[in-house]
C-alpha cells in the first residue's frame, strides 16, 4: 500500500511539475549529457602506430560533424591495451564498469579482441571493432551489439592465391606470427591458393611479437619456393621487410602478403619495400574524389599520410555518427540504433560498403604493388567479398 501511494504521489507531482515547466531542466540535462566513448587501443608496442592511426581517423570523422555524435558532445576515455591478451577482459571491464562508457572502440590485436568480445556480450555495451579480424567476433561469437568496420582475418588473404598463380608462382612458403590473426590469415591464403592450384610447401611461424627472423629466412633460402606469402604488421612488418632484403631474398623470391605488411611502413623500409605484392581492402592510390579528399584532410590535420588503419578508424566514426543520428543521440534506443547501423552505407575512402548479416564489411579487395613508397592499385582481386559468418546466430 505504502509503495503504491508513493508512486501515485510521485506521478501526481510529476504531472504538476511538467505542467508548470519545472521538469524541463531535468529533461534538457538528460538529452544534452555527453556520450561516453571508450577507446581501447594499443599505444605501446609493435602495434602502437596502428592504434594512433585508428584514433586519428575516428576523431577526424567526428570532427567533420562538428565534434558531436547524434547532436551530443563527447566525453573521452582511453586505455592502452598494450596488445596484451592477458589483460583484455580487465581493460574492457574498466571502460564498462568504472567509466560507464556508452560505446567501446577497440581494438587492433585479435587476442585482445576476444576479451572485449566477452565484456561486450556480457554487458550489452555497444562495441565497434576498428581492426582486429578475429573470426569468432563475427562468426560463432557474433552479437547484436558488436559491429566490425575493418575485415575478417581471412578476407584479405583469400584473394592472394589467384594473382599468384596467374604469375606462375606454384610453390609457396607461408610465414607469420603464430596467433589468431596469423593463423586465420593463413586459412584464407591456403583456401584461395590451393583452390587456384598452388601448393603450400611449408608453414613457418614465430610467437607474437617476436622479430628474430634470421633462422626462418635461412630456411626459406634453402627451400627455394617460387614465392613467400606472409602476415605481419606494424613495427614487426618493418623489421621483416628489411631483414628479407638484407638476407638477399628480395630479388630472388617474390614477397607477397596480406596488405597489412606494407601499411604505414613504407617510409621506414624505403627501397626494401619496392615490388612487394599484396591484397587489401584499401590502397593509397585509389583514384576517387572521396579518397583524395580524405587523404588531404587527414594529412592536413595530422601532418602524416593516412594508411588503412586511419581509414578503418574513420569508417568507425562514420558508422557511429550515422547510427547515433538515426536515433537522435539516444543510444539507449538499441533496436533502432542497431537497425540503422545494419542498413547504412558507409561512404568510405576505400569505396562504399555495407555490413554483412554478421556485422562485418562486404567489400572489394584490391591487388597492390609497392612502388616508390606507395601502395599502387593494380586491380581488384575480389569484388564485394563477404566473410562466411559461419556459426553466427544473432539473438
Ligand atoms: C589482428 O590481430 O587481428 C591484426 C593485427 C594487425 C593487423 C591486422 C590484424 O594489421
Amino acid at each position: 500500500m505504502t509503495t503504491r501511494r508513493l508512486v501515485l504521489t510521485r506521478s501526481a507531482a510529476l504531472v504538476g511539475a511538467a505542467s508548470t515547466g519545472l521538469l524541463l531542466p531535468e529533461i534538457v540535462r538528460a538529452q544534452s549529457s555527453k556520450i561516453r566513448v571508450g577507446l581501447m587501443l594499443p599505444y605501446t608496442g609493435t602495434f602502437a602506430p596502428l592504434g594512433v592511426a585508428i584514433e586519428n581517423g575516428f576523431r577526424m570523422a567526428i570532427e567533420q560533424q562538428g565534434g558531436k555524435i547524434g547532436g551530443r558532445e563527447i566525453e573521452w576515455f582511453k586505455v592502452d591495451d598494450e596488445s596484451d591478451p592477458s589483460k583484455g577482459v580487465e581493460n574492457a571491464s574498466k571502460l564498462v564498469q568504472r567509466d560507464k562508457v556508452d560505446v567501446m572502440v577497440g581494438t587492433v590485436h585479435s587476442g585482445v579482441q576476444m576479451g572485449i568480445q566477452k565484456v561486450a556480450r556480457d554487458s550489452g555495451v555497444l562495441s565497434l571493432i576498428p581492426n582486429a579480424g578475429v573470426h569468432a567476433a563475427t562468426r560463432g561469437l557474433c552479437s547484436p551489439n558488436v559491429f566490425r568496420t575493418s575485415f575478417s582475418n581471412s578476407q584479405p588473404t583469400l584473394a592472394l592465391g589467384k594473382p599468384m598463380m596467374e604469375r606462375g608462382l606454384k610453390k609457396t612458403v607461408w610465414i607469420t606470427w603464430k596467433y589468431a590473426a596469423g593463423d586465420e590469415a593463413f586459412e584464407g591464403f591456403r583456401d584461395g591458393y590451393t583452390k587456384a592450384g598452388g601448393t603450400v610447401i611449408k608453414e613457418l611461424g614465430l610467437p607474437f611479437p617476436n622479430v628474430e627472423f634470421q633462422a626462418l629466412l635461412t630456411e626459406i633460402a634453402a627451400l627455394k619456393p617460387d614465392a613467400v606469402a606472409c602476415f605481419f604488421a606494424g613495427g614487426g612488418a618493418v623489421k621483416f621487410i628489411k631483414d628479407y632484403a638484407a638476407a638477399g631474398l628480395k630479388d630472388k623470391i617474390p614477397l607477397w602478403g596480406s596488405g597489412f605488411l606494407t601499411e604505414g611502413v613504407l617510409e621506414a623500409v624505403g627501397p626494401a619495400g619496392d615490388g612487394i605484392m599484396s591484397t587489401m581492402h584499401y590502397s593509397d592510390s585509389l583514384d576517387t574524389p572521396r579518397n583524395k579528399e580524405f587523404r588531404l584532410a587527414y594529412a592536413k590535420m595530422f601532418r602524416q599520410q593516412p594508411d588503412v588503419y586511419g581509414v578503418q578508424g574513420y569508417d568507425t566514426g562514420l558508422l557511429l555518427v550515422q547510427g547515433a543520428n538515426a536515433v537522435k543521440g539516444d543510444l539507449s534506443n538499441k533496436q533502432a540504433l542497431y537497425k540503422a547501423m545494419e542498413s547504412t552505407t558507409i561512404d568510405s575512402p576505400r569505396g562504399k560498403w555495407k555490413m554483412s548479416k554478421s556485422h562485418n564489411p562486404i567489400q572489394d579487395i584490391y591487388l597492390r604493388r609497392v612502388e616508390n613508397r606507395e601502395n599502387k592499385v593494380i586491380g581488384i582481386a575480389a569484388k564485394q567479398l563477404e566473410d562466411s559468418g559461419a556459426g553466427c546466430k544473432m539473438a
Side-chain angles (χ1 to χ4, degrees), residues 47 50 83 107-113 129 131-135 148 150-153 156 177 179-182 184-185 208 231-234 258-261 263 280-281 308-309 312:
F47 288 160
L50 288 60
S83 294
T107 188
V108 168
H109 185 288
S110 277
V112 180
Q113 196 67 47
I129 311 175
N131 185 74
V134 64
H135 285 167
R148 181 153 53 201
S150 49
F151 56 88
S152 76
N153 280 328
W177 278 315
Y179 80 105
E184 293 175 353
F208 175 88
F231 165 81
F232 290 110
S258 169
F260 302 111
L261 180 67
E263 286 296 324
M280 182 93 301
H281 46 279
V308 73
Y309 309 107
Q312 292 168 179

Side-chain angles (χ1 to χ4, degrees), residues 175-225:
I175 179 167
T176 192
W177 278 315
K178 292 296 293 173
Y179 80 105
D183 293 344
E184 293 175 353
F186 175 65
E187 246 179 79
F189 173 66
R190 183 198 55 210
D191 290 357
Y193 186 58
T194 53
K195 204 169 146 207
T199 308
V200 180
I201 60 170
K202 185 98 186 183
E203 264 185 80
L204 298 171
L206 68 174
F208 175 88
N210 197 322
V211 289
E212 299 309 315
F213 299 118
Q214 215 47 57
L216 299 169
L217 292 172
T218 306
E219 197 173 342
I220 289 172
L223 286 163
K224 295 191 174 56

Side-chain angles (χ1 to χ4, degrees), residues 59-369:
R59 284 183 185 266
M60 190 171 112
I62 291 164
E63 211 44 50
Q64 289 178 346
Q65 301 292 319
K68 290 189 177 180
I69 298 176
R72 290 168 65 187
E73 309 238 325
I74 299 161
E75 187 164 0
W76 298 90
F77 298 87
K78 265 170 87 159
V79 173
D80 175 7
D81 68 36
E82 304 165 55
S83 294
D84 183 348
S86 74
K87 296 183 194 151
V89 168
E90 186 190 327
N91 280 329
S93 299
K94 270 189 207 158
L95 288 175
V96 167
Q97 276 160 22
R98 183 192 64 190
D99 303 331
K100 309 219 168 344
V101 298
D102 298 300
V103 50
M104 287 188 279
V105 175
T107 188
V108 168
H109 185 288
S110 277
V112 180
Q113 196 67 47
M114 291 303 283
I116 298 181
Q117 191 77 3
K118 177 166 175 20
V119 173
R121 282 166 59 98
D122 290 351
S123 66
V125 168
L126 178 61
S127 164
L128 306 180
I129 311 175
N131 185 74
V134 64
H135 285 167
T138 59
R139 291 192 186 178
L141 294 177
C142 73
S143 189
N145 58 319
V146 176
F147 292 80
R148 181 153 53 201
T149 56
S150 49
F151 56 88
S152 76
N153 280 328
S154 59
Q155 232 177 350
T157 43
L158 252 179
L160 266 176
K162 198 161 160 272
M164 289 180 76
M165 285 304 287
E166 281 165 5
R167 286 159 179 78
L169 306 171
K170 296 180 192 153
K171 290 188 180 143
T172 292
V173 170
W174 169 264
I175 179 167
T176 192
W177 278 315
K178 292 296 293 173
Y179 80 105
D183 293 344
E184 293 175 353
F186 175 65
E187 246 179 79
F189 173 66
R190 183 198 55 210
D191 290 357
Y193 186 58
T194 53
K195 204 169 146 207
T199 308
V200 180
I201 60 170
K202 185 98 186 183
E203 264 185 80
L204 298 171
L206 68 174
F208 175 88
N210 197 322
V211 289
E212 299 309 315
F213 299 118
Q214 215 47 57
L216 299 169
L217 292 172
T218 306
E219 197 173 342
I220 289 172
L223 286 163
K224 295 191 174 56
D226 296 333
V228 168
C230 68
F231 165 81
F232 290 110
V238 173
K239 174 92 168 25
F240 183 72
I241 292 171
K242 284 186 169 172
D243 286 4
Y244 195 83
L249 297 176
K250 180 180 173 320
D251 298 320
K252 287 196 197 125
I253 308 170
L255 180 57
W256 288 65
S258 169
F260 302 111
L261 180 67
T262 58
E263 286 296 324
V265 306
L266 295 178
E267 284 302 323
V269 300
D274 283 344
I276 296 176
M277 301 283 291
S278 67
T279 43
M280 182 93 301
H281 46 279
Y282 179 65
S283 173
D284 311 339
S285 76
L286 285 178
D287 192 12
T288 60
R290 185 72 176 115
N291 187 40
K292 286 184 172 158
E293 149 207 278
F294 165 79
R295 295 191 68 83
L296 207 66
Y298 188 102
K300 226 167 150 184
M301 195 175 272
F302 304 110
R303 306 263 154 240
Q304 208 179 352
Q305 289 301 315
D307 53 24
V308 73
Y309 309 107
V311 172
Q312 292 168 179
Y314 186 71
D315 288 5
T316 307
L318 293 183
L319 177 70
L320 182 57
V321 162
Q322 280 164 224
N325 284 348
V327 293
K328 301 196 168 49
D330 180 9
L331 298 194
S332 68
N333 186 358
K334 292 187 178 186
Q335 234 186 337
L337 175 66
Y338 300 162
K339 205 164 163 233
M341 292 167 74
E342 281 164 352
S343 56
T344 192
T345 298
I346 301 297
D347 187 10
S348 167
R350 73 182 95 164
K352 289 187 179 163
W353 62 267
K354 287 177 89 77
M355 286 287 170
S356 70
K357 284 210 170 62
S358 57
H359 297 181
N360 189 69
I362 303 171
Q363 55 193 339
D364 289 347
I365 306 290
Y366 304 99
L367 178 64
R368 307 123 33 106
R369 183 173 194 277

